[in-house]
Amino acid sequence: MQNLIITSPELVELTGYSRAADQVSCLRSHGIFYVEGKDGRIRTTWYHINHPASHRNNNNNDGFNLEALT
């Protein structure tokens, strides 16, 4: 279910807004990834709703200690 795209009515219910610009503002303020289609409609997935970027572990620890170079 997490990769399912949220429908337009679900997005309206979730954000409380029917205008795309308002939906974008709401999603952006909550750190939720979205895309805007050619038709201007906003799209996101349940995964992005349930795991906003602001709460993800974006640890880029690849094992390299660049601090040791100085």
Side-chain angles (χ1 to χ4, degrees), residues 30-64:
H30 289 89
I32 298 170
F33 174 81
Y34 65 90
V35 294
E36 184 175 347
K38 282 194 225 181
D39 59 0
R41 294 186 343 185
I42 306 305
R43 294 288 181 239
T44 190
T45 64
W46 280 110
Y47 177 83
H48 289 103
I49 295 294
N50 292 320
H51 302 90
S54 60
H55 290 91
R56 283 189 223 143
N57 182 5
N58 291 329
N59 184 0
N60 291 331
N61 186 0
D62 54 9
F64 291 100

